[in-house]
Amino acid sequence: MYFAALLARTEDGWEASDTELDDVETLSDLADLARESSPEEDTVLVLIEQEDAWFGVVRVDGEEDPRIYVSDAAAAARSAYGELLLTDELLGREPGAADGPDLDELDLDGTEDGESDAPDEDEEGGTGDAVPHSPVGDSGILDDLGISEKELRSLDADDALGSIAEALGASEVLETVR
């Protein structure tokens, strides 16, 4: 089960709205949806979670490029909503590179064949161009809002959005759209 909500920062505090992502096909579409939710060019957070598997935060500040954090890239890659967030840039790949793996063809259960290009004793990091079983993106995305990089990286997927909303002082408005 998925949950997605928009939190828009206003002069009066945070306003929440749940959002349907079925018609969103690209990260640009998602950023446009976030911008539409705030008549001013205030900060908008798109919070997405897949029950107990992963969560993502997309931050849109006015017309700036969206900033993204995903708690577990490999888990997110197995979901349509997660694929929206996992851009080539976020995964450290050349944009549009034809030699990169096709996400539809990746075996993401941790049993990929082949050897790592670099010595890596940490199995969590994945191999080669495989999507890592670890956080990716801007882990400092919420620093100025009171959630440090360390705190964000330590959140569990099962209660991350609630913890983020609580730290922002927006838990009540988020619960109204849950």
Side-chain angles (χ1 to χ4, degrees), residues 110-172:
T111 60
E112 293 86 7
D113 293 329
E115 297 295 320
S116 174
D117 292 338
D120 186 4
E121 295 177 18
D122 181 10
E123 289 298 318
E124 291 291 308
T127 59
D129 283 335
V131 179
H133 286 277
S134 61
V136 295
D138 183 355
S139 54
I141 193 170
L142 302 173
D143 277 349
D144 65 324
L145 299 175
I147 301 170
S148 72
E149 179 177 335
K150 182 179 179 181
E151 290 169 314
L152 185 63
R153 293 176 71 87
S154 70
L155 293 175
D156 290 327
D158 62 341
D159 66 346
L161 299 191
S163 297
I164 291 170
E166 185 176 325
L168 297 174
S171 55
E172 287 181 25

Side-chain angles (χ1 to χ4, degrees), residues 95-108:
D99 58 346
D102 181 353
L103 288 179
D104 293 332
E105 295 179 16
L106 282 179
D107 179 12
L108 297 173

Side-chain angles (χ1 to χ4, degrees), residues 7-29:
L7 281 180
R9 186 168 56 179
T10 68
E11 291 177 5
D12 301 325
W14 291 96
E15 292 181 5
S17 58
D18 70 354
T19 187
E20 194 60 47
L21 299 179
D22 291 342
D23 295 331
V24 175
E25 295 180 9
T26 66
L27 181 58
S28 291
D29 293 343

